[in-house]
Coordinates of all heavy atoms in Angstrom, one line a residue:
M129 N 40.8 -21.8 287.9 CA 41.2 -20.8 287.0 C 41.4 -21.4 285.6 O 42.1 -22.5 285.6 CB 42.4 -20.1 287.5 CG 42.9 -18.9 286.6 SD 44.2 -18.0 287.3 CE 45.5 -19.2 287.4
A130 N 41.0 -20.8 284.6 CA 41.1 -21.3 283.2 C 42.6 -21.1 282.8 O 43.2 -20.2 283.2 CB 40.2 -20.7 282.3
T131 N 43.0 -22.0 281.9 CA 44.3 -21.8 281.2 C 44.0 -21.5 279.8 O 43.1 -22.0 279.2 CB 45.2 -23.0 281.3 OG1 44.6 -24.1 280.7 CG2 45.6 -23.3 282.8
V132 N 44.8 -20.5 279.2 CA 44.6 -20.1 277.8 C 45.9 -20.2 277.1 O 46.9 -19.7 277.6 CB 44.1 -18.6 277.8 CG1 43.9 -18.2 276.3 CG2 42.9 -18.4 278.6
E133 N 45.9 -21.0 276.0 CA 47.2 -21.2 275.3 C 47.0 -21.0 273.8 O 45.9 -21.3 273.3 CB 47.7 -22.6 275.6 CG 48.2 -22.8 277.0 CD 48.8 -24.2 277.2 OE1 48.6 -25.0 276.3 OE2 49.3 -24.4 278.3
I134 N 48.0 -20.4 273.2 CA 48.0 -20.2 271.7 C 49.0 -21.2 271.2 O 50.2 -21.2 271.6 CB 48.4 -18.8 271.3 CG1 47.4 -17.8 271.9 CG2 48.5 -18.7 269.8 CD1 47.8 -16.3 271.7
D135 N 48.6 -22.0 270.2 CA 49.5 -23.0 269.6 C 50.2 -22.2 268.5 O 49.7 -21.9 267.5 CB 48.7 -24.1 269.0 CG 49.6 -25.2 268.4 OD1 50.8 -24.9 268.1 OD2 49.1 -26.3 268.2
R136 N 51.5 -21.9 268.7 CA 52.3 -21.1 267.8 C 52.5 -21.8 266.5 O 52.9 -21.2 265.5 CB 53.6 -20.8 268.5 CG 53.5 -19.8 269.6 CD 53.0 -18.5 269.2 NE 52.6 -17.6 270.3 CZ 52.0 -16.5 270.2 NH1 51.6 -16.0 269.0 NH2 51.7 -15.8 271.2
D137 N 52.4 -23.1 266.4 CA 52.6 -23.8 265.2 C 51.4 -23.6 264.3 O 51.5 -23.9 263.1 CB 52.8 -25.3 265.4 CG 54.1 -25.6 266.1 OD1 55.0 -24.8 266.0 OD2 54.1 -26.7 266.8
V138 N 50.3 -23.2 264.8 CA 49.0 -23.1 264.1 C 48.6 -21.6 263.9 O 48.0 -21.2 262.9 CB 47.9 -23.9 264.8 CG1 46.6 -23.7 264.1 CG2 48.3 -25.3 264.9
C139 N 48.9 -20.8 264.9 CA 48.5 -19.4 264.9 C 48.9 -18.6 263.7 O 50.1 -18.7 263.3 CB 49.0 -18.7 266.2 SG 48.6 -16.9 266.3
E140 N 48.0 -17.9 263.1 CA 48.2 -17.1 261.9 C 48.2 -15.6 262.3 O 48.2 -14.7 261.4 CB 47.3 -17.4 260.8 CG 47.4 -18.8 260.3 CD 46.2 -19.2 259.3 OE1 45.2 -19.6 259.8 OE2 46.4 -19.0 258.1
N141 N 48.2 -15.3 263.6 CA 48.2 -13.9 264.1 C 47.1 -13.1 263.5 O 47.3 -11.9 263.2 CB 49.6 -13.3 263.8 CG 49.9 -12.1 264.7 OD1 49.5 -12.1 265.9 ND2 50.5 -11.1 264.2
S142 N 45.9 -13.6 263.4 CA 44.7 -12.8 263.0 C 44.4 -11.7 264.0 O 43.8 -10.7 263.6 CB 43.5 -13.7 262.8 OG 43.0 -14.1 264.1
Q143 N 44.7 -12.0 265.2 CA 44.5 -11.1 266.3 C 43.0 -11.0 266.7 O 42.6 -10.1 267.4 CB 45.1 -9.7 266.1 CG 46.6 -9.8 265.8 CD 47.3 -8.5 265.6 OE1 46.7 -7.4 265.7 NE2 48.6 -8.5 265.4
N144 N 42.2 -11.9 266.1 CA 40.8 -11.9 266.5 C 40.5 -12.1 268.0 O 39.6 -11.5 268.5 CB 40.1 -13.0 265.7 CG 39.9 -12.8 264.2 OD1 40.4 -11.8 263.7 ND2 39.2 -13.6 263.6
C145 N 41.3 -12.9 268.6 CA 41.1 -13.2 270.0 C 41.3 -11.9 270.8 O 40.6 -11.6 271.7 CB 42.1 -14.3 270.5 SG 43.8 -14.0 270.1
E146 N 42.3 -11.1 270.5 CA 42.6 -9.9 271.2 C 41.5 -8.9 271.0 O 41.1 -8.2 271.9 CB 43.9 -9.3 270.7 CG 44.5 -8.2 271.6 CD 43.9 -6.8 271.3 OE1 43.4 -6.6 270.2 OE2 43.9 -6.0 272.3
A147 N 40.9 -8.9 269.8 CA 39.8 -8.0 269.5 C 38.5 -8.4 270.2 O 37.7 -7.5 270.6 CB 39.6 -7.9 268.0
I148 N 38.3 -9.7 270.4 CA 37.0 -10.1 270.9 C 36.9 -10.4 272.3 O 35.8 -10.4 272.9 CB 36.5 -11.3 270.0 CG1 35.0 -11.4 270.0 CG2 37.1 -12.6 270.5 CD1 34.4 -12.3 269.0
C149 N 38.0 -10.7 273.0 CA 38.0 -11.1 274.4 C 37.5 -10.0 275.3 O 38.0 -8.9 275.4 CB 39.4 -11.5 274.8 SG 39.5 -12.0 276.6
P150 N 36.4 -10.3 276.0 CA 35.8 -9.3 276.9 C 36.6 -9.1 278.1 O 36.3 -8.1 278.9 CB 34.4 -9.8 277.2 CG 34.5 -11.3 276.9 CD 35.5 -11.5 275.9
A151 N 37.5 -9.9 278.4 CA 38.3 -9.9 279.7 C 39.7 -9.4 279.5 O 40.5 -9.4 280.4 CB 38.3 -11.3 280.3
D152 N 40.1 -9.0 278.2 CA 41.4 -8.5 277.9 C 42.5 -9.4 278.3 O 43.5 -9.1 278.9 CB 41.6 -7.1 278.7 CG 40.9 -6.0 278.0 OD1 40.6 -6.1 276.8 OD2 40.6 -5.0 278.7
V153 N 42.3 -10.7 278.0 CA 43.3 -11.7 278.3 C 44.5 -11.6 277.4 O 45.6 -12.0 277.7 CB 42.6 -13.1 278.2 CG1 43.7 -14.2 278.2 CG2 41.7 -13.3 279.4
F154 N 44.2 -11.1 276.1 CA 45.3 -11.1 275.1 C 45.8 -9.6 275.0 O 45.1 -8.7 275.3 CB 44.7 -11.5 273.8 CG 44.1 -12.9 273.8 CD1 42.8 -13.1 274.1 CD2 44.9 -14.1 273.6 CE1 42.2 -14.4 274.1 CE2 44.4 -15.3 273.7 CZ 43.0 -15.5 273.9
A155 N 47.0 -9.5 274.4 CA 47.6 -8.2 274.1 C 48.5 -8.4 272.8 O 48.9 -9.5 272.6 CB 48.3 -7.6 275.2
I156 N 48.7 -7.3 272.1 CA 49.6 -7.4 271.0 C 50.9 -6.8 271.4 O 51.0 -5.7 271.9 CB 49.1 -6.5 269.8 CG1 47.6 -6.8 269.5 CG2 49.9 -6.7 268.6 CD1 47.3 -8.3 269.1
R157 N 52.0 -7.6 271.3 CA 53.3 -7.2 271.7 C 54.2 -7.4 270.5 O 54.3 -8.5 270.0 CB 53.8 -8.0 272.9 CG 53.0 -7.8 274.1 CD 53.8 -7.6 275.4 NE 53.0 -7.2 276.5 CZ 52.9 -7.9 277.6 NH1 53.6 -9.0 277.8 NH2 52.1 -7.4 278.6
D158 N 54.8 -6.3 270.0 CA 55.7 -6.4 268.9 C 55.0 -7.0 267.7 O 55.6 -7.8 266.9 CB 57.0 -7.2 269.2 CG 57.9 -6.5 270.2 OD1 57.8 -5.2 270.3 OD2 58.5 -7.2 271.0
G159 N 53.7 -6.7 267.6 CA 52.9 -7.1 266.4 C 52.4 -8.5 266.5 O 51.7 -9.0 265.6
V160 N 52.6 -9.2 267.6 CA 52.2 -10.6 267.8 C 51.3 -10.7 269.0 O 51.5 -10.2 270.0 CB 53.4 -11.5 268.0 CG1 53.0 -12.9 268.2 CG2 54.4 -11.4 266.8
V161 N 50.2 -11.4 268.8 CA 49.2 -11.6 269.9 C 49.8 -12.6 270.9 O 50.4 -13.6 270.6 CB 47.8 -12.1 269.3 CG1 47.9 -13.5 268.7 CG2 46.8 -12.0 270.4
E162 N 49.6 -12.2 272.2 CA 50.1 -13.1 273.3 C 49.0 -13.1 274.4 O 48.2 -12.3 274.5 CB 51.3 -12.4 273.9 CG 52.5 -12.5 273.0 CD 53.8 -11.9 273.7 OE1 53.7 -11.7 274.9 OE2 54.8 -11.8 273.0
V163 N 49.1 -14.2 275.1 CA 48.2 -14.4 276.3 C 49.0 -13.6 277.5 O 50.1 -14.0 277.8 CB 48.1 -15.8 276.7 CG1 47.3 -16.0 278.0 CG2 47.4 -16.6 275.6
V164 N 48.3 -12.6 278.0 CA 49.0 -11.8 279.0 C 48.2 -11.8 280.4 O 48.9 -11.6 281.4 CB 49.2 -10.3 278.6 CG1 50.2 -10.3 277.4 CG2 47.9 -9.7 278.2
R165 N 46.9 -12.1 280.4 CA 46.2 -12.1 281.6 C 45.3 -13.3 281.7 O 44.0 -13.2 281.8 CB 45.4 -10.8 281.8 CG 46.2 -9.6 282.1 CD 45.3 -8.3 282.2 NE 44.9 -7.9 280.9 CZ 45.7 -7.1 280.1 NH1 46.8 -6.6 280.5 NH2 45.3 -6.8 278.9
P166 N 45.8 -14.5 281.7 CA 45.0 -15.7 281.7 C 44.1 -15.8 283.0 O 43.0 -16.4 282.9 CB 46.0 -16.8 281.7 CG 47.3 -16.3 282.1 CD 47.3 -14.8 281.7
S167 N 44.5 -15.2 284.1 CA 43.7 -15.3 285.3 C 42.4 -14.5 285.2 O 41.5 -14.7 286.0 CB 44.5 -14.7 286.5 OG 44.8 -13.3 286.3
E168 N 42.3 -13.7 284.1 CA 41.0 -12.9 283.9 C 40.0 -13.7 283.1 O 38.9 -13.3 282.9 CB 41.3 -11.6 283.2 CG 42.2 -10.7 284.0 CD 41.6 -10.3 285.4 OE1 40.4 -9.9 285.3 OE2 42.3 -10.3 286.4
C169 N 40.4 -14.8 282.5 CA 39.6 -15.6 281.6 C 38.3 -16.1 282.3 O 38.4 -16.7 283.4 CB 40.3 -16.8 281.0 SG 39.4 -17.8 279.9
T170 N 37.2 -15.9 281.6 CA 35.9 -16.4 282.2 C 35.4 -17.6 281.4 O 34.2 -18.0 281.6 CB 34.8 -15.2 282.1 OG1 34.7 -14.9 280.7 CG2 35.2 -14.0 282.9
A171 N 36.2 -18.1 280.6 CA 35.9 -19.3 279.8 C 34.6 -19.1 279.0 O 33.7 -20.0 278.9 CB 35.7 -20.5 280.7
C172 N 34.5 -18.0 278.3 CA 33.3 -17.7 277.4 C 33.5 -18.4 276.1 O 32.6 -18.5 275.3 CB 33.1 -16.2 277.3 SG 34.4 -15.4 276.3
F173 N 34.7 -18.7 275.7 CA 35.1 -19.4 274.5 C 34.9 -18.6 273.2 O 34.9 -19.1 272.1 CB 34.4 -20.8 274.3 CG 34.9 -21.8 275.4 CD1 34.2 -21.9 276.6 CD2 36.0 -22.5 275.2 CE1 34.6 -22.8 277.5 CE2 36.5 -23.4 276.1 CZ 35.8 -23.6 277.3
L174 N 34.7 -17.3 273.3 CA 34.6 -16.4 272.2 C 35.9 -16.5 271.3 O 35.8 -16.4 270.1 CB 34.3 -15.0 272.6 CG 32.8 -14.7 272.9 CD1 32.7 -13.3 273.5 CD2 31.9 -14.9 271.8
C175 N 37.0 -16.5 272.0 CA 38.3 -16.5 271.3 C 38.4 -17.8 270.5 O 38.8 -17.8 269.3 CB 39.5 -16.3 272.2 SG 39.6 -17.6 273.5
V176 N 38.0 -18.9 271.1 CA 38.1 -20.2 270.4 C 37.2 -20.2 269.2 O 37.6 -20.7 268.1 CB 37.8 -21.4 271.4 CG1 37.7 -22.7 270.7 CG2 38.7 -21.4 272.6
E177 N 36.0 -19.7 269.4 CA 35.0 -19.8 268.3 C 35.4 -18.8 267.2 O 35.0 -19.0 266.0 CB 33.6 -19.4 268.9 CG 33.1 -20.4 269.8 CD 31.9 -19.9 270.6 OE1 31.5 -18.8 270.4 OE2 31.4 -20.7 271.5
N178 N 36.2 -17.8 267.4 CA 36.5 -16.8 266.4 C 37.9 -16.9 265.9 O 38.3 -16.0 265.1 CB 36.2 -15.4 267.0 CG 34.7 -15.1 267.0 OD1 34.1 -14.7 266.1 ND2 34.1 -15.4 268.2
C179 N 38.6 -17.9 266.3 CA 40.0 -18.1 265.8 C 39.9 -18.8 264.4 O 39.5 -20.0 264.4 CB 40.9 -18.8 266.8 SG 42.5 -19.1 266.1
P180 N 40.4 -18.2 263.3 CA 40.3 -18.9 262.0 C 41.2 -20.1 261.9 O 41.0 -20.9 261.0 CB 40.6 -17.7 261.0 CG 41.5 -16.8 261.8 CD 41.0 -16.9 263.3
S181 N 42.2 -20.2 262.7 CA 43.1 -21.3 262.6 C 43.0 -22.3 263.7 O 43.9 -23.2 263.7 CB 44.6 -20.7 262.5 OG 44.7 -19.6 263.4
G182 N 42.1 -22.1 264.6 CA 41.9 -23.1 265.6 C 43.1 -23.3 266.6 O 43.5 -24.3 267.0
A183 N 43.8 -22.1 266.8 CA 45.0 -22.1 267.6 C 44.9 -22.0 269.1 O 45.9 -22.1 269.8 CB 45.9 -21.0 267.0
I184 N 43.7 -21.7 269.5 CA 43.5 -21.4 271.0 C 42.9 -22.5 271.7 O 41.9 -23.1 271.3 CB 42.7 -20.1 271.1 CG1 43.3 -18.9 270.4 CG2 42.6 -19.7 272.6 CD1 42.5 -17.7 270.4
D185 N 43.5 -22.8 272.8 CA 43.0 -23.9 273.7 C 42.7 -23.2 275.1 O 43.5 -22.7 275.7 CB 44.0 -25.0 273.9 CG 43.5 -26.1 274.8 OD1 42.3 -26.4 274.6 OD2 44.3 -26.6 275.6
V186 N 41.4 -23.3 275.4 CA 41.0 -22.8 276.7 C 40.5 -24.0 277.6 O 39.7 -24.7 277.2 CB 39.8 -21.8 276.6 CG1 39.3 -21.4 278.0 CG2 40.2 -20.5 275.9
D187 N 41.2 -24.2 278.7 CA 40.9 -25.3 279.6 C 40.3 -24.7 280.8 O 41.0 -24.2 281.7 CB 42.2 -26.0 279.9 CG 41.9 -27.4 280.6 OD1 40.7 -27.7 280.8 OD2 42.9 -28.0 280.9
A188 N 39.0 -24.9 280.9 CA 38.2 -24.2 282.1 C 38.2 -25.2 283.3 O 38.2 -26.4 283.1 CB 36.8 -23.9 281.6
Ligands
LIG362 S1 37.5 -17.8 276.7 FE1 36.6 -15.7 276.6 S2 37.5 -14.7 278.4 FE2 38.7 -16.5 278.1 S3 40.4 -15.8 276.8 FE3 38.8 -16.5 275.4 S4 37.6 -14.7 274.9 FE4 38.8 -14.2 276.7

C-alpha cells in the first residue's frame, strides 16, 4: 500500500492534489487539504506532478 504525505512546511494549500486525484485520497477540511484515504492511492503520481510547491511525497 502506498503512503501519501503532505509536507506542511512546504504546502501552499493550492488544493491541486484534491482536485486531480482520481482516487479521492485528499479532502478539504476547514479550508486545508489533508490526506484522508491513503489506502485508496494507486500511485499514479498525478498529485506529485501537479503540486506547485513539491509538497507531496508518494511512496509506492
Ligand atoms: S498518486 Fe495518484 S492516486 Fe495517489 S494520492 Fe496522488 S493523485 Fe491520488
Side-chain angles (χ1 to χ4, degrees):
M129 182 172 65
T131 59
V132 182
E133 293 181 350
I134 299 172
D135 183 341
R136 292 294 169 190
D137 292 335
V138 177
C139 177
E140 297 171 273
N141 200 36
S142 73
Q143 304 181 1
N144 286 8
C145 53
E146 195 275 338
I148 205 164
C149 176
D152 286 337
V153 168
F154 305 92
I156 311 300
R157 296 226 172 120
D158 295 329
V160 177
V161 67
E162 292 184 7
V163 177
V164 293
R165 284 177 288 271
S167 63
E168 299 296 313
C169 177
T170 59
C172 70
F173 292 96
L174 281 173
C175 58
V176 175
E177 291 166 3
N178 286 277
C179 178
S181 39
I184 303 177
D185 182 39
V186 174
D187 190 3

